Amino acid sequence: MSKTYPIISVVGSSGAGTSTVKATFEQIFRREGFTAVSIEGDAFHRYNRADMRAELERRAAAGDRTFSHFSYEANELKELENVFRSFGETGMGRTRHYVHDAEEAERHGVPPGEFTAWASFEEGADLLFYEGLHGAVVNDEVNLAALADLKIGVVPVINLEWIQKIHRDRAARGYSTEAVTDTILRRMQAYVHCICPQFTQTDINFQRVPVVDTSNPFIARWIPTPDESLVVIRFKNPRGIDFPYLTSMIAGSWMTRANSIVIPGNKQDLAMQLILTPLIERLVTNARKLRR
Ligand SMILES: Nc1ncnc2c1ncn2[C@@H]1O[C@H](COP(=O)(O)OP(=O)(O)OP(=O)(O)O)[C@@H](O)[C@H]1O
Ligand SMILES: O=C(CO)[C@H](O)[C@H](O)COP(=O)(O)O
């Protein structure tokens, strides 16, 4: 936990929508005049695409069919912890990009499946924004949850998460439904053991729930739209959260538990802005005072 240089960690499985909610955070940072450095969880994969394939084959030959990008050992979590710690103490750190597709290759100048070179953060950021698979991991090696000041889970119910992944991987990354299905299956062990436990560490979870039939996610022709979904918002510590204000500002919302509200899917952006702006504002204002 760093009060001097705060860290926001947005955690979700592949296809959950963490890149999508990043736009909402950027909107808040821009409007409030906060400067953020962003890092992507995929930058901390241990292997490039070819080496990952070789490692998968090596492990499969040895009888391990559960290794995947979700596994702790497929990622440089110590390096990520060093970056969190370094930013928290000094406001500095480094990151790189894992290039997924041709469009990213064009932007970064390295081929798909490769990393760009590590580069230092620009000085003077108010906060660090992480978005990816492992930003709230607590295991024998690392404690990332302890270093992040605001942890957000983005967790659609699993059928919807699969639909989102299948559609995105087919449309943007050139994979077939069968290839994505194999990946989903191989990742299931680590999904349960490495991804899910993080959502008890997160301060607020946003869980999108479709209200249309998604019982066979592998044949869904489109991703359920915001109008076809609800979002359950759960606060780990509801103390200080003004629920009457939130339910009065967000039309169609209601409380389902003492720490949970449900909102129409098309109000997710508004709800995030109402909930997150004061929390981020407090973190940055306190940090600026401490740095004076
Ligand atoms: N609230 C939403 N409503 C409709 N579609 C959504 C929503 N959130 C995400 N999606 C869609 O789901 C797909 C996956 O979203 P996104 O790329 O943000 O996932 P991600 O968590 O960043 O995945 P990865 O970590 O694998 O890059 C995209 O096609 C996106 O448009
Ligand atoms: O989204 C992902 C993890 O968050 C990707 O699956 C991961 O980055 C590897 O990509 P690829 O298998 O296409 O090289």
Side-chain angles (χ1 to χ4, degrees):
M1 179 87 63
S2 159
K3 295 283 179 234
T4 323
Y5 291 97
I7 298 170
I8 299 175
S9 182
V10 176
V11 182
S13 170
S14 181
T18 56
S19 312
T20 307
V21 304
K22 185 175 176 187
T24 306
F25 281 88
E26 284 170 346
Q27 180 82 343
I28 296 172
F29 301 155
R30 187 193 51 74
R31 204 185 39 226
E32 300 298 317
F34 302 153
T35 48
V37 281
S38 284
I39 59 178
E40 296 148 11
D42 294 357
F44 296 83
H45 288 332
R46 179 158 292 158
Y47 305 105
N48 66 19
R49 192 174 287 159
D51 291 348
M52 182 67 180
R53 207 165 287 145
E55 184 65 13
L56 281 169
E57 280 163 17
R58 194 185 67 75
R59 287 182 184 243
D64 173 8
R65 298 196 171 273
T66 63
F67 189 65
S68 79
H69 280 107
F70 289 2
S71 312
Y72 297 139
E73 321 84 74
N75 294 277
E76 299 286 355
L77 297 185
K78 267 276 167 213
E79 175 68 28
L80 180 59
E81 188 180 55
N82 287 340
V83 171
F84 274 19
R85 184 168 292 114
S86 150
F87 184 85
E89 289 170 3
T90 66
M92 290 306 289
R94 66 176 194 164
T95 193
R96 61 182 178 177
H97 296 282
Y98 179 87
V99 173
H100 289 96
D101 51 40
E103 190 236 298
E104 290 179 12
E106 175 87 25
R107 190 156 13 111
H108 294 295
V110 298
E114 294 289 342
F115 295 100
T116 61
W118 290 102
S120 290
F121 299 160
E122 283 191 23
E123 273 181 60
D126 284 307
L127 52 89
L128 173 66
F129 178 84
Y130 165 96
E131 140 312 266
L133 298 169
H134 294 112
V137 164
V138 179
N139 64 15
D140 294 343
E141 303 274 301
V142 296
N143 189 342
L144 294 162
L147 294 169
D149 302 271
L150 177 61
K151 297 175 282 291
I152 306 296
V154 179
V155 197
V157 293
I158 200 156
N159 279 17
L160 177 57
E161 189 168 281
W162 289 348
I163 293 174
Q164 291 188 173
K165 175 154 182 71
I166 291 164
H167 281 252
R168 195 275 318 272
D169 280 3
R170 277 180 18 184
R173 298 187 181 169
Y175 292 113
S176 66
T177 303
E178 291 68 29
V180 188
T181 306
D182 283 349
T183 303
I184 288 171
L185 283 170
R186 186 167 36 79
R187 288 176 169 186
M188 198 40 68
Q189 169 92 1
Y191 185 88
V192 171
H193 294 290
C194 307
I195 303 294
C196 291
Q198 296 180 84
F199 303 122
T200 51
Q201 301 290 338
T202 39
D203 301 299
I204 309 172
N205 289 332
F206 291 83
Q207 181 160 61
R208 201 155 84 90
V209 182
V211 290
V212 289
D213 182 24
T214 56
S215 35
N216 184 352
F218 302 100
I219 50 98
R221 273 175 298 152
W222 56 79
I223 298 173
T225 65
D227 282 330
E228 294 171 335
S229 50
L230 299 171
V231 180
V232 178
I233 307 173
R234 179 258 188 186
F235 298 83
K236 185 175 189 178
N237 179 3
R239 197 127 54 92
I241 302 296
D242 190 346
F243 288 105
Y245 169 75
L246 291 176
T247 48
S248 71
M249 294 295 282
I250 305 168
S253 65
W254 74 97
M255 288 191 73
T256 49
R257 278 198 183 159
N259 65 346
S260 304
I261 63 173
V262 176
I263 62 163
N266 58 17
K267 294 285 194 293
Q268 175 165 309
D269 188 67
L270 172 67
M272 286 191 139
Q273 301 214 28
L274 291 174
I275 293 164
L276 298 171
T277 304
L279 301 178
I280 298 171
E281 205 269 331
R282 201 174 315 143
L283 279 177
V284 173
T285 307
N286 288 342
R288 283 179 176 174
K289 273 192 207 138
L290 284 170
R291 296 204 300 270
R292 253 189 232 135

